[in-house]
Amino acid sequence: MRIDIPVSEETIRSLKVGDEVELYGTIVTARDAGHKLMVEERPKFIEPFIKDGAIYHCGPVMKKRGKKWQVVAAGPTTSIREEPYEAKVMEDYGVRVVIGKGGMGKDTLAACKRLGGVYLHAVGGAAILAADAITQIKDVFMLDEFGVPEAFWICEVSGFKAVVTMDAKGRSLHKKVLTRSKKQLKSQLGD
Amino acid sequence: MRHHFLELIRRAATVLPADVTAALRSAAKREAPGSAAKAALSDVLRNCELAASSSRPLCQDTGTNLWQVYLPQSFSQVKVKSEILAATKAATKKAYLRPNAVDPVTGQNTGDNTGIGAPVVHFHEWTRKAVVADLLLKGGGSENVSALYALPHQGLGAGRDLEGVRKVVLDAVFNAQGKGCGPAVIGVGIGGDRATSMLEAKEQLFRLLNDKNADPTLAKLERKLLKQCNALEIGPMGFGGATTVLGVKIGKRHRLPASYFVAVAYLCWAARRASVTITGKGASFSEESEIAKTQIQPKKGRR
């Protein structure tokens, strides 16, 4: 399913766990330092890029060719580290799509339900596929302060693939897998 | 030596070892048609083909660079270390490595992957005339879900024996869920102290997936844990599915009577390792490390 960003609340609420999507438009990388900054200082510069938009948990490998940045490798990083911040970031900035890997916790899931948001899982480690879907680096913020992996990279994407694993109805694939594997673990420990 | 080390880094970052690729291929066959797990594995395999053919890092997190370097008696560690640092800086400039060394106090990234304790280099002197360097790149996501247990562990009912080891390894893999980019390779270090048990666990990650532990008791436990980890059905990426781990590799070190540590080193599917042998005639590269060789040939043990 094709999703254009910025995206409407209605479109997001129509997505369900298991849907495969392809993103077109602008996505913004943000990870640990970026989330901390957004919650503690609420900077305005990032707002126009993520309102009704997408945050991508990613610390890319970048290369500078002349004055232009080129993306070399850009797979997702583990999302759960942003769990203490994400719900507030979604609410404060109007973020509708959070992309990463490994899934997120109950606060983010509740925020998806309440605000009309969705969590998309990209394939962890598949950095070349992700990089090749980024057609252009439009801008970068906090590069000097945070360094390459932690900076906000404003990326134009075309056909960026991901799977819905947490939806606006409050369903989570991660919760389901956790419950099932817990049952399996219990039986193995009693073995 | 510098350019050989640079080439070693390039290979480690851009080419997935053949044994890992083969394991991922057979894992992809086991997953249900149309499942997210199968799609993820086929994306992973395609990603690696593209990375190798274009000499780009197959994962953006080029991780902790763990070096094991074997030197003839006349070689200077200081000089070889400075060659490794120079190669590391050059590899970062060429974007084979992401700048990954961050000062935990100031938050500053050094920008070139060198810093206090970075990269991690262990030297070993030996009687051979060649220099051998083995390199493992271990991503941060997988490092974050690695774990250290002190037995007994009451909550898990894990005592100070191999049955206790089995229980805590399963617990660690369960706790990792999809956060460490599975299917994983699990390195286990039994014994030692808090530092060396984890070192042992990480050294196990240098082994080839299809090898067999020289210790029959540990070999049996490896096979059992492989089966039981996969029975958790966490699956690739935590999507649910048949393959949660690709291999379990277990090593041991003598412990104090008072201590019984079990370190579990979780390595993502991007199990990036490479090896170079440098002699007067030049360099030859391989995917089989010295640790891999000694583990299956105990008589030539390195310790």
Side-chain angles (χ1 to χ4, degrees):
Chain A
M1 187 189 300
R2 178 186 170 123
I3 303 285
D4 288 280
I5 297 169
V7 62
S8 70
E9 180 175 349
E10 190 193 351
T11 303
I12 289 298
R13 288 202 183 272
S14 74
L15 292 173
K16 56 185 192 305
V17 166
D19 286 348
E20 290 176 25
V21 299
E22 288 189 358
L23 303 178
Y24 292 80
T26 300
I27 68 175
V28 179
T29 69
R31 44 184 288 167
D32 311 77
H35 278 78
K36 187 167 186 282
L37 183 85
M38 286 189 282
V39 165
E40 289 177 2
E41 297 180 28
R42 212 192 172 290
K44 285 249 185 311
F45 64 81
I46 204 70
E47 189 151 355
F49 301 103
I50 55 177
K51 169 108 181 83
D52 293 317
I55 277 181
Y56 181 26
H57 299 154
C58 167
V61 179
M62 306 295 287
K63 205 171 182 178
K64 209 167 190 177
R65 285 258 163 90
K67 285 198 169 166
K68 276 204 149 167
W69 283 101
Q70 217 174 22
V71 59
V72 178
T77 192
T78 312
S79 298
I80 196 70
R81 295 195 310 272
E82 317 317 336
E83 180 65 13
Y85 308 109
E86 205 68 79
K88 181 147 176 57
V89 167
M90 290 174 75
E91 174 143 33
D92 286 358
Y93 288 96
V95 173
R96 298 222 174 268
V97 179
V98 176
I99 314 160
K101 72 167 170 85
M104 300 192 73
K106 63 176 185 352
D107 291 352
T108 304
L109 189 60
C112 285
K113 196 172 176 182
R114 183 163 47 90
L115 306 165
V118 75
Y119 177 82
L120 303 181
H121 200 297
V123 174
I128 299 297
L129 294 185
D132 287 351
I134 298 174
T135 53
Q136 195 198 341
I137 298 297
K138 293 164 80 175
D139 209 343
V140 58
F141 295 91
M142 302 299 286
L143 179 58
D144 292 340
E145 295 84 346
F146 289 171
V148 167
E150 299 274 352
F152 295 99
W153 296 94
I154 316 295
C155 307
E156 187 69 18
V157 297
S158 175
F160 184 103
K161 275 173 66 178
V163 186
V164 178
T165 56
M166 291 162 63
D167 65 23
K169 294 232 161 55
R171 288 172 295 213
S172 164
L173 173 66
H174 309 287
K175 218 162 72 181
K176 201 171 127 190
V177 171
L178 181 77
T179 308
R180 194 177 51 200
S181 57
K182 193 172 218 163
K183 210 186 261 173
Q184 297 284 4
L185 178 72
K186 269 197 181 146
S187 90
Q188 304 274 13
L189 290 183
D191 187 68
Chain B
M1 214 171 279
R2 188 175 309 184
H3 61 287
H4 296 317
F5 289 155
L6 176 60
E7 174 61 9
L8 180 69
I9 297 170
R10 188 194 68 80
R11 282 175 187 249
T14 63
V15 184
L16 196 66
D19 62 316
V20 183
T21 308
L24 288 168
R25 276 214 189 96
S26 54
K29 280 186 199 141
R30 282 193 296 272
E31 298 299 343
S35 65
K38 199 181 188 79
L41 289 172
S42 85
D43 279 352
V44 156
L45 288 162
R46 199 155 56 88
N47 178 77
C48 292
E49 280 169 24
L50 286 169
S53 63
S54 61
S55 234
R56 287 183 286 170
L58 57 95
C59 173
Q60 79 291 337
D61 185 1
T62 50
T64 301
N65 292 199
L66 176 57
W67 292 74
Q68 297 281 352
V69 184
Y70 302 82
L71 296 178
Q73 280 144 340
S74 58
F75 271 68
S76 154
Q77 290 187 14
V78 174
K79 281 184 189 156
V80 174
K81 178 87 182 274
S82 81
E83 293 293 290
I84 290 173
L85 293 181
T88 300
K89 288 176 184 174
T92 312
K93 215 167 224 170
K94 285 181 174 289
Y96 301 147
L97 297 177
R98 185 178 70 182
N100 254 5
V102 180
D103 184 317
V105 176
T106 65
Q108 279 295 307
N109 191 319
T110 64
D112 64 9
N113 274 302
T114 68
I116 303 169
V120 180
V121 186
H122 295 292
F123 285 107
H124 311 273
E125 186 180 297
W126 65 3
T127 51
R128 279 175 57 191
K129 290 205 167 70
V131 172
V132 171
D134 297 332
L135 176 60
L136 176 78
L137 307 186
K138 187 172 188 301
S142 75
E143 189 67 4
N144 285 345
V145 294
S146 296
L148 181 61
Y149 294 84
L151 299 186
H153 188 297
Q154 213 175 354
L156 294 168
R160 300 180 138 207
D161 49 26
L162 290 184
E163 178 59 9
V165 173
R166 183 186 71 84
K167 287 181 177 176
V168 297
V169 172
L170 282 168
D171 185 61
V173 172
F174 166 76
N175 287 332
Q177 290 290 309
K179 297 189 282 282
C181 278
V185 182
I186 305 297
V188 181
I190 311 174
D193 66 10
R194 278 186 191 269
T196 59
S197 58
M198 190 51 94
L199 184 60
E200 179 62 40
K202 288 191 176 186
E203 289 187 352
Q204 290 296 315
L205 300 175
F206 280 94
R207 285 172 54 191
L208 296 176
L209 286 177
N210 49 11
D211 73 357
K212 194 173 169 191
N213 199 315
D215 180 328
T217 310
L218 295 181
K220 197 172 153 200
L221 184 58
E222 287 178 358
R223 284 196 302 273
K224 189 172 190 179
L225 272 169
L226 176 64
K227 215 169 126 194
Q228 296 190 340
C229 287
N230 285 332
L232 295 176
E233 293 180 45
I234 294 164
M237 297 296 137
F239 287 168
T243 308
T244 302
V245 310
L246 300 170
V248 179
K249 304 291 168 187
I250 308 175
K252 65 175 180 184
R253 295 196 178 194
H254 284 87
R255 60 179 179 85
L256 295 179
S259 305
Y260 198 119
F261 294 109
V262 182
V264 183
Y266 189 107
L267 181 64
C268 51
W269 65 259
R272 291 154 289 175
R273 44 179 152 74
S275 180
V276 63
T277 302
I278 304 169
T279 63
K281 289 179 197 148
S284 65
F285 293 89
S286 109
E287 291 169 353
E288 190 177 4
S289 69
E290 284 305 313
I291 289 172
K293 290 173 197 163
T294 53
Q295 284 283 343
I296 49 171
Q297 292 168 348
K299 279 174 192 159
K300 293 184 198 165
R302 70 208 144 92
R303 295 189 188 113

